[in-house]
Amino acid sequence: MTYRVCFVCTGNICRSPMAESVFRARVEEAGLHGLVEIDSAGTGGWHEGEPADPRAASVLEEHGYRSEHAARQFQPSWFARLDLVIALDSGHLKALRRLAPTEEDARKVRLLRTYTRPSSDLHPSSSASHAPSESAGDDLDVPDPYYGGRDGFEECLEMVEAASNGLLAAVREHLEGRAA
């Protein structure tokens, strides 16, 4: 059975397409590409059909990630097919939980940076827990780089990469639990 993850930011042209590209690469590197489906969307539809912001695409490509993308708006009906909805900031987290048709659906929504692990935990043992950490600090938002310069996109990529290893470990743990 396929595990489905959707990353969500505001307009689906900066942060969430970056997270989608990075996580897709991590899943492929782990040999899980047939088991995990990755997508992204925005809480708003202002940019529907547009490609990723050119600065996001440039940063992704310079770091070896693919960046084919067309922006979409998240729809509440998607909760039924998704296993995990990853919000890029606390505003998205609240908006998505309000959109969730059920409490079970609301529990599918998590902040990306709750999966960030200390560097010593990037290669965890199989006995370690990979549940998201709500105690990773007060500010778990990935800042919106849209109104700033290229540095903001580089910072966004660093945060996304740092969280992707923990997210991958959590997804792998879930997949192994399904197989058992």
Side-chain angles (χ1 to χ4, degrees), residues 30-179:
L32 300 174
H33 55 274
L35 299 172
V36 182
E37 182 180 294
I38 302 121
D39 201 356
S40 68
T43 56
W46 312 279
H47 298 287
E48 273 191 291
E50 294 179 19
D53 183 288
R55 296 166 294 176
S58 173
V59 166
L60 285 169
E61 289 170 14
E62 286 176 18
H63 290 271
Y65 298 105
R66 292 192 312 255
S67 64
E68 301 100 29
H69 178 73
R72 305 179 320 149
Q73 183 174 4
F74 188 88
Q75 301 299 317
S77 62
W78 296 1
F79 277 105
R81 67 176 173 80
L82 293 169
D83 296 291
L84 196 54
V85 180
I86 301 293
L88 277 286
D89 71 28
S90 56
H92 307 130
L93 180 79
K94 291 173 188 158
L96 290 162
R97 286 185 173 164
R98 280 193 305 270
L99 283 176
T102 68
E103 282 297 315
E104 181 182 351
D105 289 330
R107 286 190 297 271
K108 295 177 181 179
V109 184
R110 302 286 171 80
L111 274 172
L112 175 64
R113 291 192 61 208
T114 61
Y115 292 95
T116 301
R117 299 285 177 245
S119 58
S120 63
D121 198 26
L122 290 180
H123 301 288
S125 69
S126 59
S127 62
S129 172
H130 305 294
S133 168
E134 297 299 331
S135 63
D138 290 336
D139 187 11
L140 294 172
D141 291 354
V142 175
D144 190 349
Y146 184 76
Y147 295 103
R150 182 179 172 83
D151 288 351
F153 289 85
E154 291 283 353
E155 178 185 24
C156 176
L157 180 63
E158 288 173 15
M159 291 179 175
V160 165
E161 287 178 328
S164 290
N165 292 323
L167 177 58
L168 178 63
V171 168
R172 185 190 307 265
E173 190 172 273
H174 189 83
L175 288 169
E176 289 169 357
R178 278 188 179 180

